[in-house]
Amino acid sequence: MLDALKNTDLDALPADVRAVVLGLDERVLSLTAQVGELEALNARLEHFVKELNQAIYGTRSEKLTEDERQLAFEDIEVAQSEAEEQSDTIEMTTPRKKRKPVQRNLGNLPDHLERIEQIIEPDSIACPCGCGDMVRIGEDRTERLEIVPAQPKVIVTIRPKYACPNKQGGVVQALAPVHLIEGGLPTEGTLAHVSVSKYADHCPLFRQSQIYARSGLNIDRSTLANWMGKVSFHLAPVVDHMLAELKTSNKLFADETRCPVLDPGRGKTKTGYLWAIARDERPFGGTAPPGVVFCYADGRGGKHATKFLTGFGGTLQVDGYAGYNALTKPGRNSGPVKLAYCWAHARRKLKEVHDRDGSPIAKEGLKRIAKFYKIEEAIRGQSAEQRKAARQDQTKPLMDDFEVWLKTVRSRISTKSRLGEKLSYIAKYMDGLKLFLDDGTVEMDSNIVERAIRPIALNRKNALFAGHDEGGRTWARIASLIETCKLNNVEPYAYLKATLEAIAAGHPAARIDELMPWHYPFNPRTERLASNHE
């Protein structure tokens, strides 16, 4: 019909009809443009879906790491939100259904945040009927989040001096406040902030220096590094005590992760290691607080495991690394350690084969291991006695069947094949893998300590390497306190600030246990030894 009207001589039409035709023509052009925009938007959203599927379900060679996936999700969600906003601005002249609100976590505004009320009054409250001012009958309240970027402040300490007017009584003045770095620029809160930014939020010191420069505060990276060295020195006794406390337990976890360190002599990096020693009794309702301590070493040899775990006797949950075998020797002063091995590592071996080859034997092994984990999920949080009873009743028969199955399939498969190697690994560590059946305090895997070292790996990616071995030790000490804070639901900045203030004020070494993260908030008692008089 519109085509027929277009072929008509518009000048020959009555004015009102001609106006309608021209209006229809403009509307068609507008709708055509809107359809084009929506088609482009739809294609864009379909592309987002493909990217998301690839990030989650891509083939092994194309899959992203956990950290890379999080970055991909962030960017996809940002782009999706932009596309939704674009969709809302495309004005359709034809009615359409109202889009359902997207079910998304929009955050929350906790009660402890400062509330700044902004009251917006009408231009006039005079009643139109002339009776006077209107009466307030209620209000609408809305809350929005305002974030003010870090605002450096200068704390000026003024200590007035007072003297006897007769020049007989001398001079009196308040003592100067004590600080961790006497005569230095930073407060303990500043030191805590730099520490948390580097070791918890993975922001290297040179980037922090750049951030401060945007506020007109020029603090060189080397100055920040000097501060961190002093913080590490003063926190060393706290971390040492925490490690000693962990080693009094009968059950610990251990793992190690790379810590690249610059080797000035060669102008290259060498491979140092952070050895993680962790305690977490929450899965069986234990009373000891959770904690993790990182110990830096310039290598991965078993001598380091022996050194760091001196004084510990009990069960150590580890992966299959042979460096821990030295702990099992009878000649140890604190007695031989029993090694409980990790089913997550065993499962990973089979999954590698299944993902690549689709092996039905690997698939069967994964199904059997999944049954163990299902039982563990049901008994998590129960007492050690209850867990042991459930494992003996439910898991042990399944484990016996697993061992028979393992022996059968290994007899049919070459030990030199990829699957044969993985099955041999499981068979080699079978005694340690079964240890959890007879001890309700032992976990099926070492995932607890693996989760604790994950932030170390992320910091390693951002910071690239430590500047030297001492930098590795600093990294280990501060990260130990930050990750232990996380395990105990303690805010790391608040804890470090309070701890550094307590140390600066002379907290007695005999009461160092009070400064453990699991005792925060604490109120350290300190004694001032100086006089108020000059």
Side-chain angles (χ1 to χ4, degrees):
M1 178 178 177
L2 289 174
D3 291 338
L5 289 173
K6 286 181 180 180
N7 294 329
T8 305
D9 184 2
L10 294 179
D11 294 336
L13 295 174
D16 56 343
V17 176
R18 185 166 61 252
V20 171
V21 172
L22 291 174
L24 287 174
D25 194 34
E26 291 178 0
R27 187 172 181 185
V28 168
L29 291 175
S30 176
L31 288 174
T32 301
Q34 290 175 1
V35 168
E37 291 178 358
L38 288 173
E39 286 178 346
L41 181 60
N42 188 58
R44 189 179 178 194
L45 291 172
E46 288 179 350
H47 180 68
F48 295 156
V49 172
K50 290 180 180 178
E51 286 187 339
L52 188 61
N53 285 333
Q54 181 61 42
I56 301 175
Y57 305 113
T59 58
R60 181 170 181 81
S61 61
E62 298 172 325
K63 277 186 177 178
L64 304 176
T65 65
E66 178 65 25
D67 298 330
E68 291 170 337
R69 273 201 301 273
Q70 294 303 322
L71 292 173
F73 292 158
E74 287 178 14
D75 289 340
I76 291 173
E77 288 168 351
V78 168
Q80 178 188 354
S81 177
E82 180 185 345
E84 290 171 356
E85 191 70 17
Q86 178 186 355
S87 174
D88 290 341
T89 62
I90 299 176
E91 296 180 2
M92 297 294 294
T93 55
T94 54
R96 59 172 174 167
K97 292 182 179 179
K98 186 176 180 180
R99 188 174 67 207
K100 289 181 64 176
V102 179
Q103 297 299 314
R104 187 179 294 150
N105 177 15
L106 299 179
N108 60 78
L109 301 175
D111 294 337
H112 73 269
L113 294 182
E114 178 187 5
R115 259 65 176 178
I116 300 175
E117 293 190 352
Q118 180 185 44
I119 301 175
I120 303 176
E121 296 281 5
D123 293 337
S124 173
I125 59 172
C127 184
C129 76
C131 66
D133 289 345
M134 292 184 173
V135 178
R136 181 169 176 169
I137 60 172
E139 65 183 18
D140 290 330
R141 297 177 70 95
T142 56
E143 293 190 345
R144 299 173 69 85
L145 179 64
E146 172 75 359
I147 296 179
V148 180
Q151 297 179 337
K153 298 178 181 178
V154 177
I155 297 178
V156 181
T157 301
I158 302 172
R159 297 185 297 130
K161 292 183 178 182
Y162 297 90
C164 173
N166 298 320
K167 300 182 180 180
Q168 299 297 320
V171 177
V172 66
Q173 183 183 32
L175 290 173
V178 291
H179 296 294
L180 199 73
I181 302 179
E182 290 295 343
L185 289 178
T187 65
E188 286 66 41
T190 298
L191 296 173
H193 173 73
V194 175
S195 300
V196 170
S197 296
K198 176 172 173 59
Y199 299 103
D201 300 330
H202 321 298
C203 185
L205 297 181
F206 75 89
R207 289 183 188 152
Q208 293 190 53
S209 178
Q210 294 169 350
I211 293 171
Y212 297 142
R214 293 202 298 267
S215 300
L217 187 61
N218 295 316
I219 301 180
D220 192 74
R221 174 200 50 77
S222 61
T223 300
L224 297 176
N226 179 268
W227 293 355
M228 290 300 94
K230 288 179 169 54
V231 167
S232 172
F233 171 79
H234 289 288
L235 290 178
V238 179
V239 178
D240 291 344
H241 182 82
M242 187 163 67
L243 178 58
E245 166 65 20
L246 294 186
K247 290 193 290 186
T248 62
S249 303
N250 295 322
K251 167 68 175 60
L252 292 176
F253 298 84
D255 201 354
E256 67 289 332
T257 186
R258 291 183 301 105
C259 175
V261 176
L262 187 63
D263 188 351
R266 298 187 304 158
K268 299 180 180 179
T269 58
K270 62 181 181 180
T271 302
Y273 285 88
L274 292 181
W275 294 69
I277 300 170
R279 174 180 70 189
D280 195 341
E281 298 184 355
R282 291 174 296 182
F284 60 89
T287 57
V292 59
V293 171
F294 299 100
C295 302
Y296 174 78
D298 57 5
R300 199 186 179 205
K303 62 181 182 180
H304 300 298
T306 301
K307 173 185 175 182
F308 297 142
L309 287 162
T310 296
F312 169 70
T315 302
L316 188 67
Q317 190 114 35
V318 295
D319 55 20
Y321 176 51
Y324 296 103
N325 291 342
L327 300 172
T328 63
K329 297 178 180 178
R332 289 187 77 239
N333 291 335
S334 49
V337 170
K338 291 190 292 184
L339 298 181
Y341 291 115
C342 174
W343 274 101
H345 282 76
R347 180 186 179 278
R348 209 170 292 156
K349 301 290 183 182
L350 294 178
K351 194 171 187 306
E352 288 173 359
V353 177
H354 180 264
D355 287 349
R356 175 164 297 197
D357 305 332
S359 165
I361 293 178
K363 183 178 181 180
E364 175 64 21
L366 291 172
K367 286 182 177 178
R368 290 174 178 268
I369 295 173
K371 293 179 181 179
F372 304 159
Y373 272 101
K374 188 173 182 179
I375 296 170
E376 287 301 300
E377 184 178 354
I379 63 176
R380 183 165 288 111
Q382 295 183 10
S383 69
E385 293 75 16
Q386 291 172 317
R387 282 163 39 116
K388 178 181 177 180
R391 289 166 175 175
Q392 290 290 319
D393 182 52
Q394 303 174 46
T395 311
K396 191 174 185 305
L398 298 176
M399 187 69 70
D400 293 339
D401 290 343
F402 181 90
E403 288 191 88
V404 173
W405 170 82
L406 181 63
K407 183 177 181 180
T408 301
V409 295
R410 287 189 67 212
S411 66
R412 305 200 310 257
I413 297 174
S414 170
T415 56
K416 296 182 179 180
S417 67
R418 292 184 73 254
L419 178 58
E421 291 175 354
K422 308 301 183 184
L423 295 174
S424 295
Y425 171 92
I426 298 175
K428 177 181 178 180
Y429 294 107
M430 202 64 207
D431 288 342
L433 287 169
K434 294 192 299 181
L435 199 59
F436 78 102
L437 295 175
D438 301 316
D439 189 342
T441 68
V442 177
E443 294 299 297
M444 260 192 70
D445 53 44
S446 56
N447 285 349
I448 285 174
V449 71
E450 287 200 3
R451 286 193 294 270
I453 65 175
R454 193 171 296 157
I456 299 295
L458 182 57
N459 203 22
R460 183 174 64 222
K461 291 179 181 179
N462 285 321
L464 300 182
F465 48 78
H468 46 74
D469 287 331
E470 284 303 319
R473 276 182 270 276
T474 296
W475 191 348
R477 286 171 185 159
I478 300 178
S480 297
L481 295 172
I482 287 175
E483 295 307 317
T484 299
C485 282
K486 293 179 183 178
L487 289 172
N488 289 274
N489 296 318
V490 170
E491 206 286 302
Y493 166 79
Y495 165 77
L496 285 177
K497 179 176 183 291
T499 301
L500 294 175
E501 288 174 344
I503 293 172
H507 188 85
R511 298 206 312 269
I512 196 170
D513 189 66
E514 297 174 8
L515 300 183
M516 295 298 100
W518 47 77
H519 289 152
Y520 182 83
F522 44 75
N523 183 23
R525 296 164 292 164
T526 58
E527 297 179 1
R528 301 295 298 273
L529 302 179
S531 169
N532 275 331
H533 288 74
E534 290 186 342

